[in-house]
Amino acid sequence: MADEPLILGIETSCDETGVGVVRGHTLLADALASSVEQHARFGGVVPEVASRAHLEAIVPTMERALTEAGVTIADIDAIAVTAGPGLAGALLVGVAAAKGYAVAAEKPIYGVNHLAAHVAVDTLEHGPLPEPAVALLVSGGHSSLLLIDDLARGVTPLGATIDDAAGEAFDKIARLLGLPFPGGPYIDREARAGDPAAIAFPRGLTAAKDLARHRYDFSFSGLKTAVARWVEARQRAGEPVPVADVAASFQEAVCDVLVGKALDACRSNGVETLVIGGGVAANSRLRAMAEQRAARQGIRVRVPRPGLCTDNGAMVAALGSHLVAAGVAPSRLDLPADSAMPLTTVSV
Ligand code: KG4
Ligand code: ZN
């Protein structure tokens, strides 16, 4: 609808420079410039390289988004920007750019939480999120289960990883198997040709003794070690490593734990909607497993299409749009970039 607010979103927390434009829940533009190829040879994101790439990409990406949406900065009602969590130098570029545009065009600014934006993006595909909902957030830097009572004003953390993030585990195992960075999509692809039951890898924090203290927490470091030991034993024996089977069995172990704990959180909180967000939500096995198991329990799963799961500007615009609609006050113009912004802070 033309009378809904027109929101611009800027994302620069990691290696993607994203600018999105939404009107209400309608996505109008989602421009992206990625520095992922500049990091590939290091096997991980190099913060200084990411910051420099954002500096170069921010203005052209902004112009591309406005053109794609067919609007000018003067038409925008509010600017939302990822204020944290993320890489400090990378966040600074987006926050400084957002402030510059906000001052120049006299627009309100919203400094928002990247993780809440990963949840909000689903509204662009599936409409308003029923509340309460449970959110499973799985990205390269975070893995958390959240209870969403009110996405505009606060979320309740239920659990999180106690070591590696799920995406980090995918990236490390991919590296071990000689696959490119970032490894998640490559494991996903390899696993399609493999047998998920070929190797029984451990499911972290699912034993009865762990559940007492860590019912909704995750741990992937034991799994990572188990995969490494298994591969090393093969190599020592001079046998070929069955990459597809290892990828499929590893992926199965990760998804099994993520889905099991997320559905447990829904049941025990009387929640009927599970929303999955973050880069790992693009994983085809995670999506299929969550849908199958949830359907048997009468729980509805919402996952945005893969292109909206990984970092982008549209997700920030979607959260900004939700905040404006909920009547949340804008941020101060001196809002800081906060690399360690807590999950419970939706906007600053
Ligand atoms: O949300 P995101 O784009 O950036 C962060 O905020 O971290 O997530 C990136 C992570 C990477 O670890 C990447 O390997 C993983 O998401 N990822 C996947 C898939 N696509 C991206 N993991 C598993 N399967 C995928 N298809
Ligand atoms: Zn992310």
Side-chain angles (χ1 to χ4, degrees), residues 311-336:
D311 292 349
N312 61 76
M315 67 192 227
V316 180
L319 179 55
S321 178
H322 186 72
L323 294 172
V324 169
V328 173
S331 308
R332 290 168 42 143
L333 198 53
D334 63 353
L335 75 108

Side-chain angles (χ1 to χ4, degrees), residues 166 169-170 173 187 201 223 227 245-255:
F170 270 94
I173 295 304
I187 297 253
F201 286 131
L223 170 61
V227 178
D245 282 349
V246 175
S249 301
F250 159 77
Q251 179 174 274
E252 195 70 8
V254 174
C255 296

Side-chain angles (χ1 to χ4, degrees), residues 155-176:
V155 300
T156 310
L158 298 173
T161 180
I162 61 167
D163 40 59
D164 293 345
E168 207 178 340
F170 270 94
D171 295 341
K172 287 178 178 168
I173 295 304
R175 192 172 187 180
L176 184 85

